[in-house]
Amino acid sequence: MTDDRLTGSECWPIRSRLFIGRITDRADARSFYRAGLMLAASLLCSCSGPQSALDPAGPEAEDVAILFFTMVVGGALIWCSVVGILFYASRKKHAYDAGQASRIILWCGVVFPTIVLGALLSYAVWLMPNIRPGFGEANARLRTIDVAGEQFWWRVRYQNAEGSAAFETANEVRVPVGERVLFKLTSPDVIHSFWIPVLGGKMDVIPGRENHLTLMAEKPGTYRGVCAEFCGPSHAFMAFTVVAMEPGAFEDWTKARASFDGARDAEGLALFLKHGCSACHAISGTEARGTIGPDLSGFGERGSVGVGALVNTQEDIARFIRNPSEIKPGARMPHFSMLPETDIQRIAAYLKGLQ
Amino acid sequence: MKSVIPREVETLWTLFTAPVVWAVHFLVCYVGFAVYCAKALSLHLSFDAVRIGLGVFTLLALAMIVLSAYLAWRQWGYGTGDPPHDAPTRQDRKHFQGFATLLLSGLSFIAVLYMAIPMIFIAECQR
Ligand SMILES: [Cu+2]
């Protein structure tokens, strides 16, 4: 993971540079070895961390985690007793007559599984109304965040109290703790899936549809969300950061973002405009109003570049500008390696400074 | 006196009665809710009315399956002989079919019950 702010990220086995290195340097024997270590590490600590459905930070995810553990424990008990009985039956010589045998089959093979499966089914469908998105009237009063899944990044638009768009960001979703939030999910290209494992279940993002999902964060922290539906070459990089903030801090942040001024560094901004970045990118408070790519207002305070592909340092930003599709295959941003290196560095510094 | 229970008929069709009831029940429940949700605005029916209606239908389906099971049990000779009924005789063929029908009825009964469980918990139409 690339975002240093992530809660519990010490547990995350894939540090970005290793990961990128592995992709661009091509696999060698050592990287397979390394992958094996990563797998072992991730198995050991996969129960906690910023992207674990088993380390819930909201009520929906908690229900899902409890359901999971119920199933695992129940399944383990049944498996153990079946294997135990199997051993018992094979070790000793028991003479069962046909009647006894059919009674065992009837009770252990029919009645018991029917009751257990019936109970599990009831439990799971009983949970569903709690973990599904809310509907209708109840949703109209919720704070709404519009999210568009685009190849290969997330457009995030916040609404103000009147319901009109207040400001836009990308690849980072901030939510107030203790408040239910409604996500309206759309896609202009292909099917994606919006999933924040620590907060709840996933919801497909389908072109031509507006899908709704409500989630609530209960623990402040920085988590990781992902695209959970294969959507193209950089699908695996289509992640985003989720920041659950105390309500006061969240209000401060929305106010700051709604009145963001990106015109603080005249020279950097001039280069940004001169090289045509503004055709695709918007920065509040400047002439840059492009809408094809991610809104870059406040980009410097985000944790990653290229949606989780690189850490957000000036060098990584420059690297991304030079050749986005080397870092994210298929990214819809042209490469700018023909720009003078000083200009690239200058723009990267400017973007890093947008906090 | 004429019995209300059908005469014993020797045909393979009785074997399928219970699974057919299960299939019809499955479709009616799915299609019923789907049509209701598509037309809820023009139909003057509450969600619970649909739920109760399909609940009554479920009871009917279960009753059909129980009847089919009873007939199968009779065909099986009320369990007088034990499986596998594999002798090449008419009697064994009849008993075999009765036993198989009885088992299928049990399976269908459970399937209809499982199908009904989500109908208890389903909350409303998604729009
Ligand atoms: Cu995607």
Side-chain angles (χ1 to χ4, degrees), chain A residues 192 227 229 231 235 238:
Chain A
H192 305 272
C227 175
E229 183 72 49
C231 59
H235 161 70
M238 197 171 156

Side-chain angles (χ1 to χ4, degrees), chain A residues 87-108:
Chain A
F87 267 107
Y88 177 73
S90 63
R91 283 290 165 86
K92 292 199 176 168
K93 294 260 180 299
H94 301 283
Y96 287 117
D97 63 40
Q100 273 175 314
S102 9
R103 241 169 291 134
I104 292 179
I105 291 175
L106 178 69
W107 286 103
C108 299

